Amino acid sequence: MTGITATSGQRADMVRNRRLLLEAATAAFAEHGVEVSIGEIAQRAGLAKGTVFRHFASKEDLLAAIMLQMLDQLIGTAERLVDADDAAAALQEFMTDGVEVLAADRAFCEVIGRPSLQHSEVRDAIGRLRDAAEALTARARDQGAVRADVTGTDIVLLLGGIHQTAAPLLAEEPHAWRRYLALALDGLRATGAPDLPYPPPGRLRLSDTDEGC
């Protein structure tokens, strides 16, 4: 009985420590970017530095775990909205939430293209995000709310593009991204839209590039 209790307690401590580490690392990376040291993350979490490496073999593994959290958040938003009656409003809400996530997290664009994207779970999550965005976009196309040649991959790429456009302003004007989101949404509308001058992108593979978003 004592052995079982001790094992259960150890597992509870492991779950707690992992949660504390992810919370501390997410906050630190969001504020300062990915150059934050493992020592600082451990200090923020109130844990020993060695505890970090018991949960994450490398900094890249920690970044991958945070990427998964962010991607899962975006996927969850898309899946929640996919059956909404107003597909245009659903797509707008997804894009608004998506750019807001990026604007609040300095690390996201620094992580894009890093080795953390070689993790199979992260690559799978990027695929699921693309598929969820395509489902939202397809419904908006079917309702005639967006232009017929826009794709889910376009939408996912636009999230990073909108954030990067506003990035120089965000320190002084943290909501400036809303202006560029509105411009992008206006360009997605179907009414009177001429054909785009270039074909849609293929399968979204962010790990093919070393560039940020």
Side-chain angles (χ1 to χ4, degrees), residues 152-210:
T153 297
D154 291 323
I155 297 300
V156 174
L157 292 173
L158 275 173
L159 300 181
I162 293 163
H163 169 255
Q164 278 296 94
T165 299
L169 307 174
L170 294 180
E172 298 296 327
E173 300 179 58
H175 299 292
W177 58 268
R178 294 184 181 275
R179 173 182 178 86
Y180 301 102
L181 173 61
L183 286 170
L185 289 168
D186 190 57
L188 291 171
R189 291 193 177 94
T191 305
D195 291 342
L196 290 171
Y198 194 80
R203 181 178 177 83
L204 183 61
R205 297 177 63 185
L206 297 178
S207 57
D208 286 346
T209 175
D210 291 330

Side-chain angles (χ1 to χ4, degrees), residues 8 31 38 51 55 61 64 81 89 109 141 154 161 172 191 210:
S8 299
E31 293 169 17
I38 292 295
T51 303
H55 287 270
D61 287 338
L81 293 168
C109 286
R141 289 196 307 262
D154 291 323
E172 298 296 327
T191 305
D210 291 330

Side-chain angles (χ1 to χ4, degrees), residues 48-183:
K49 186 175 178 180
T51 303
V52 181
F53 292 109
R54 280 197 289 274
H55 287 270
F56 304 99
S58 68
K59 192 173 184 178
E60 295 298 341
D61 287 338
L62 179 55
L63 286 169
I66 292 171
M67 275 287 287
L68 280 171
Q69 288 186 151
M70 296 179 350
L71 290 165
D72 284 344
Q73 181 178 344
L74 295 177
I75 292 164
T77 299
E79 291 177 344
R80 173 176 59 82
L81 293 168
V82 73
D83 293 322
D85 292 336
D86 187 338
L91 185 61
Q92 179 172 338
E93 183 176 342
F94 169 71
M95 293 184 70
T96 301
D97 287 359
V99 181
E100 190 164 26
V101 167
L102 301 188
D105 198 316
R106 178 177 168 182
F108 186 89
C109 286
E110 295 182 28
V111 172
I112 293 297
R114 289 175 68 103
S116 58
L117 287 183
Q118 301 303 319
H119 285 251
S120 60
E121 289 180 85
V122 176
R123 293 173 68 89
D124 289 346
I126 290 170
R128 287 188 287 114
L129 176 61
R130 181 201 63 242
D131 293 343
E134 178 55 39
L136 278 176
T137 307
R139 293 194 72 244
R141 289 196 307 262
D142 291 344
Q143 291 186 10
V146 298
R147 51 189 307 143
D149 51 1
V150 71
T151 71
T153 297
D154 291 323
I155 297 300
V156 174
L157 292 173
L158 275 173
L159 300 181
I162 293 163
H163 169 255
Q164 278 296 94
T165 299
L169 307 174
L170 294 180
E172 298 296 327
E173 300 179 58
H175 299 292
W177 58 268
R178 294 184 181 275
R179 173 182 178 86
Y180 301 102
L181 173 61
L183 286 170

